[in-house]
Amino acid sequence: DAGVIQSPRHEVTEMGQEVTLRCKPISGHNSLFWYRQTMMRGLELLIYFNNNVPIDDSGMPEDRFSAKMPNASFSTLKIQPSEPRDSAVYFCASAPTGGNSPLHFGNGTRLTVT
Amino acid sequence: QQQVKQSPQSLIVQKGGISIINCAYENTAFDYFPWYQQFPGKGPALLIAIRPDVSEKKEGRFTISFNKSAKQFSLHIMDSQPGDSATYFCAASSGSRLTFGEGTQLTVNP
């Protein structure tokens, strides 16, 4: 079991640029979550998918953020255009079923927008 | 609205001591209360979890105490070790949406 794989591990970009974060969930897990972690706001749920379908995107901060899950083994989180306040660690997590299953987190992508 | 409040923000304990982290929640619909442990540069990992039908759950040196009427739960780490130094998050959920507390940075001195 390779765990949840996120790429890149670090991303530094300039304000206004497009940023794409990638996630490969654990095989067989049918729920996928995107979280953002900052010192000020802690761990915030941005969006989650169940069986590749977005279920709750109420945590997506603005229209600049979008997420897709084209298949069971891949998801992306895109920020366009990026802003300095988007700087954070973005985590992807997967779970084997819906409610109350343990989340398995990746090691995150540290995004810095200058 | 912060639905899960965690304290303290940071905690320093001597090796062999007991570490206690507290959480309080507001939403009575929450029915699953996990604790996650996070090391620097890593994602959070599930440590132990409890459901509201029990008042205590123990796994090795880690114990969750749960008080449904007070809407509070706590993590106790017995015989704390330097390797336990990490950030701990309580969380609560009803269904798939997990809400995390603010986190507690635990340092265990040798």
Side-chain angles (χ1 to χ4, degrees):
Chain A
D1 184 354
V4 175
I5 300 173
Q6 291 187 246
S7 63
R9 284 302 311 274
H10 302 274
E11 177 78 44
V12 180
T13 191
E14 292 184 348
M15 182 174 63
Q17 296 298 306
E18 177 180 297
V19 175
T20 300
L21 311 181
R22 297 172 175 79
C23 175
K24 177 180 170 55
I26 293 173
S27 178
H29 285 190
N30 56 17
S31 294
L32 183 139
F33 305 79
W34 283 100
Y35 280 85
R36 178 172 68 177
Q37 186 175 36
T38 62
M39 290 294 293
M40 291 296 295
R41 301 176 67 89
L43 275 162
E44 301 174 277
L45 176 64
L46 301 178
I47 185 171
Y48 79 88
F49 296 83
N50 194 43
N51 293 324
N52 311 339
V53 176
I55 302 299
D56 184 351
D57 66 353
S58 60
M60 296 287 264
E62 300 171 36
D63 291 344
R64 299 184 296 107
F65 287 69
S66 62
K68 294 182 180 180
M69 192 165 186
N71 57 63
S73 60
F74 185 65
S75 178
T76 59
L77 178 67
K78 184 177 294 186
I79 308 172
Q80 166 63 20
S82 58
E83 296 183 3
R85 60 194 168 116
D86 301 330
S87 298
V89 180
Y90 291 81
F91 287 102
C92 176
S94 67
T97 62
N100 298 343
S101 297
L103 298 188
H104 298 256
F105 283 82
N107 286 329
T109 294
R110 180 174 294 277
L111 173 65
T112 302
V113 184
T114 61
Chain B
Q1 179 185 9
Q2 179 58 260
Q3 295 191 48
V4 181
K5 296 196 70 65
Q6 183 173 345
S7 64
Q9 189 174 18
S10 62
L11 180 62
I12 299 174
V13 174
Q14 291 300 119
K15 178 182 176 182
I18 302 173
S19 304
I20 302 174
I21 305 171
N22 300 299
C23 284
Y25 63 97
E26 300 170 3
N27 187 346
T28 55
F30 287 148
D31 60 0
Y32 176 66
F33 302 89
W35 285 87
Y36 281 78
Q37 179 188 55
Q38 185 180 27
F39 293 104
K42 302 292 187 181
L46 179 67
L47 186 63
I48 185 173
I50 197 169
R51 298 187 188 276
D53 53 344
V54 296
S55 60
E56 186 175 283
K57 183 174 182 179
K58 183 176 181 179
E59 291 184 359
R61 297 184 293 109
F62 300 91
T63 300
I64 299 178
S65 297
F66 186 82
N67 186 329
K68 187 174 182 178
S69 61
K71 293 187 288 186
Q72 295 175 346
F73 58 111
S74 60
L75 176 69
H76 295 234
I77 305 174
M78 311 299 288
D79 187 26
S80 299
Q81 299 297 312
D84 297 330
S85 297
T87 301
Y88 293 80
F89 294 92
C90 63
S93 74
S94 173
S96 296
R97 189 179 183 90
L98 196 61
T99 300
F100 284 89
E102 301 96 327
T104 296
Q105 187 168 347
L106 171 65
T107 301
V108 181
N109 288 328

